Amino acid sequence: MDFHTLHTRLCCLSVLRNLQDEPLLQAYRRVLGAYSADVLTFCDAYGALCDHIYRAGDTGRWMRRRIQCSSNALTGSLTQPSPAVLQAVTRDLETLSALLALTGRDLAAQACLAFPNDAGTLAYLPDFPAGKPLPFTNGDQLRGFYQQFGYGFFAKSNCFTVGPEGEILAVSRPDPIRLTDLKGYARQKEQVVANTLAFLDDRPSNNILLYGDKGTGKSSTVKAVVNEYASRGLRIIELAPKQIGLFPRICAEAARSPYHIIVFLDDLTFDVEDENFAALKAFIEGGLTGKPANVVLYATSNRRHLVRESFASRQGDDIHVRDTLETVTSLSDRFGLEITFSVPDKDEYLSIVDQLADEYGLFLPADQLHLLAERFAIRRNGRSPRTARQFISYQLTQQD
C-alpha cells in the first residue's frame, strides 16, 4: 500500500474511528501528510512521531490495547453484527496493520524521494522498528477477541477508583497482592473465593461484608481475589464511603460493560443519621435503581453493624429500643454473606510468622523467632497478620 493510499485510508477509519483521537495516530497522519509539504514540516512531524513511538514501546501491543478499550459499532452488536460492520472493521484493521508494519527507515526513504535535495540530511533521521502484528486481521476475528477478553473502558485496568467529580479512573499500578501472599484465615478466604466464582459464573451470589479487627487482612483479601480472577473478567471499583451517592452512576456505567465488577467500600462506619447510611441501604436493596447483574458489593468494616452506637442510643421505652436496634442492623442485614476476621490467637499468629519467615528467607531458631515476634506484637498493640508481616520486614532490615 503506497503512502498516499495509506494516508487516505487512515483518514477513512470508520468503526475504529475513535483511535484517531490518540496522539500516536495523529502523529502518523501528520507525517503521511507532510510528504506534500516541505522538508522542515516533515522533519518536525517525524520527530514528534518518534517521540510518541518511543514512549509507547511496542506499537503493536499499544494498538491492541487501544482497540480492546474501544467501544464501537462492533462492541454494540457482538451477538449479531451486520455484514457491513464486519466488512468495515476488516478494512480498518488492514489500514492499521499496514501502519504498524512501517519502520522509521521506510518513512525516511520516502522522504528522500519527496525531498531529494535534502537526502543527505534525511539520512541522519532516527529510526524505529515495526510494531508486532495484531492478533486479529478481520472483523470476525476481532469479534471473537472481544467475546473472549472483553472490551471497553474497563479493559484499561483491573482496578479503578472514583474521582471527586464522579469520574471512574483506571489505576495504572494496582496492588499486586495475591491469595498466596495472605497467611492464615483459610476458611474466610475460601468463602470469598466461592462467592466470587459463583458471581463470575452468573450463579446466585451475595454482597459480602467482611468485618473484624484491624490488620487482619479484610481489604487485602478482596484485592487478592480480584488479582486472582482478573483474567476471567473480574474488575473492582473502590468507592469511598463519602462517595456512596455516586453508586447509581457507577452501576449505569458498569451495566454497559461485559465485565463482572465488584464495587468495594473499604472501612465502612456510619452514624445512624448519616444520609449515606440510608442511601446505601436503598441502593443495595429496596431502591428504585436496580443493581445490575454484573455488579456485586463487597465492604469491610471494624463494626459488624457498620454503625457507631452509644449507650444513650439504647435508652428509652421498649418500642424505642427495638426501633433503634432494627435501624442499626438494617444495613448489615442487606449483605447476604458476613465473614468475620478475628484477631488471631497466639498459635495462629506464630504460625503466620513462621510461614512469612520461611517465604522471605528469615532463618532464626524457632524459639528466638517466636519470642521476638511476641515482643514485637506487644509493642504494636496486638497480634495480627499485619503485625506479623511488619515484624518480618523489621527483622530482615536488621540483618542487612
Side-chain angles (χ1 to χ4, degrees):
M1 188 182 303
D2 65 78
F3 284 17
H4 176 73
T5 300
L6 180 58
H7 187 205
T8 302
R9 291 186 58 166
L10 191 58
C11 294
C12 293
L13 289 178
S14 56
V15 176
L16 300 178
R17 190 168 186 80
N18 56 2
L19 268 67
Q20 288 192 347
D21 296 331
E22 297 288 344
L24 178 58
L25 265 293
Q26 293 174 358
Y28 268 113
R29 287 184 59 181
R30 284 195 293 271
V31 168
L32 294 174
Y35 289 118
S36 58
D38 57 74
V39 68
L40 293 180
T41 300
F42 171 81
C43 289
D44 182 62
Y46 183 83
L49 174 63
C50 289
D51 178 54
H52 284 294
I53 289 177
Y54 298 153
R55 291 173 185 270
D58 174 42
T59 52
R61 181 176 180 273
W62 178 93
M63 188 78 73
R64 179 186 63 80
R65 289 289 296 158
R66 295 307 184 277
I67 293 174
Q68 184 179 8
C69 295
S70 171
S71 293
N72 50 59
L74 179 60
T75 61
S77 59
L78 278 184
T79 55
Q80 197 172 1
S82 70
V85 168
L86 290 175
Q87 185 182 52
V89 171
T90 298
R91 291 180 175 176
D92 285 352
L93 292 175
E94 289 173 351
T95 301
L96 295 175
S97 295
L99 200 67
L100 289 175
L102 293 176
T103 67
R105 291 295 92 196
D106 294 330
L107 294 174
Q110 180 66 23
C112 289
L113 296 176
F115 313 109
N117 294 334
D118 297 285
T121 302
L122 293 170
Y124 291 95
L125 289 175
D127 192 16
F128 58 82
K132 291 181 181 178
L134 295 171
F136 32 74
T137 58
N138 59 56
D140 283 321
Q141 290 179 359
L142 180 56
R143 177 190 179 194
F145 178 86
Y146 281 150
Q147 290 174 324
Q148 181 178 359
F149 298 105
Y151 57 85
F153 177 80
F154 290 106
K156 293 183 178 181
S157 178
N158 303 336
C159 303
F160 299 82
T161 58
V162 179
E165 302 300 323
E167 68 278 21
I168 301 176
L169 306 172
V171 177
S172 58
R173 296 180 181 177
D175 186 346
I177 191 166
R178 303 302 289 259
L179 288 171
T180 52
D181 298 327
L182 304 175
K183 313 304 179 185
Y185 299 92
R187 179 181 59 82
Q188 290 88 335
K189 288 186 289 187
E190 288 172 0
Q191 288 180 287
V192 178
V193 168
N195 190 77
T196 304
L197 290 176
F199 174 54
L200 288 171
D201 292 337
D202 296 318
R203 294 183 284 115
S205 58
N206 285 303
N207 300 314
I208 299 181
L209 173 62
L210 302 89
Y211 70 90
D213 300 280
K214 62 181 181 180
T216 50
K218 303 182 295 296
S219 302
S220 295
T221 298
V222 176
K223 295 173 184 178
V225 166
V226 173
N227 290 334
E228 204 72 30
Y229 298 106
S231 61
R232 291 190 52 180
L234 185 62
R235 299 292 187 265
I236 187 170
I237 303 174
E238 185 168 2
L239 187 65
K242 64 182 180 180
Q243 297 174 315
I244 284 173
L246 300 172
F247 194 74
R249 187 188 305 180
I250 291 172
C251 285
E253 188 71 30
R256 294 191 289 267
S257 172
Y259 294 97
H260 288 73
I261 298 172
I262 294 172
V263 175
F264 180 45
L265 297 165
D266 196 18
D267 198 19
L268 272 184
T269 302
F270 297 109
D271 294 314
V272 176
E273 296 80 10
D274 192 332
E275 61 181 16
N276 287 321
F277 179 85
L280 184 56
K281 283 199 304 180
F283 296 148
I284 297 177
E285 184 180 329
L288 294 176
T289 304
K291 182 168 65 65
N294 67 328
V295 172
V296 71
L297 183 66
Y298 286 8
T300 69
S301 179
N302 295 336
R303 301 169 185 269
R304 180 179 181 183
H305 297 309
L306 307 173
V307 177
R308 299 183 185 91
E309 294 184 81
S310 65
F311 286 109
S313 66
R314 293 174 176 260
Q315 294 176 354
D317 57 38
D318 185 54
I319 296 177
H320 179 266
V321 172
R322 183 179 303 165
D323 288 346
T324 299
L325 291 176
E326 287 181 354
T327 299
V328 167
T329 61
S330 61
L331 177 54
S332 59
D333 286 347
R334 281 169 162 78
F335 290 87
L337 185 58
E338 297 180 0
I339 302 175
T340 307
F341 284 71
S342 302
V343 170
D345 60 24
K346 180 178 179 179
D347 290 341
E348 290 173 322
Y349 170 68
L350 294 179
S351 174
I352 293 172
V353 168
D354 289 338
Q355 293 176 65
L356 290 172
D358 182 64
E359 180 177 316
Y360 287 95
L362 177 60
F363 302 111
L364 289 175
D367 291 346
Q368 181 183 0
L369 180 68
H370 291 176
L371 178 62
L372 292 172
E374 278 287 275
R375 288 178 177 174
F376 190 87
I378 292 172
R379 293 197 301 270
R380 300 294 295 183
N381 297 319
R383 306 182 185 100
S384 73
R386 180 186 297 164
T387 300
R389 191 172 293 277
Q390 290 171 343
F391 164 71
I392 294 298
S393 297
Y394 174 76
Q395 290 300 318
L396 290 172
T397 61
Q398 298 305 300
Q399 291 186 349
D400 293 341

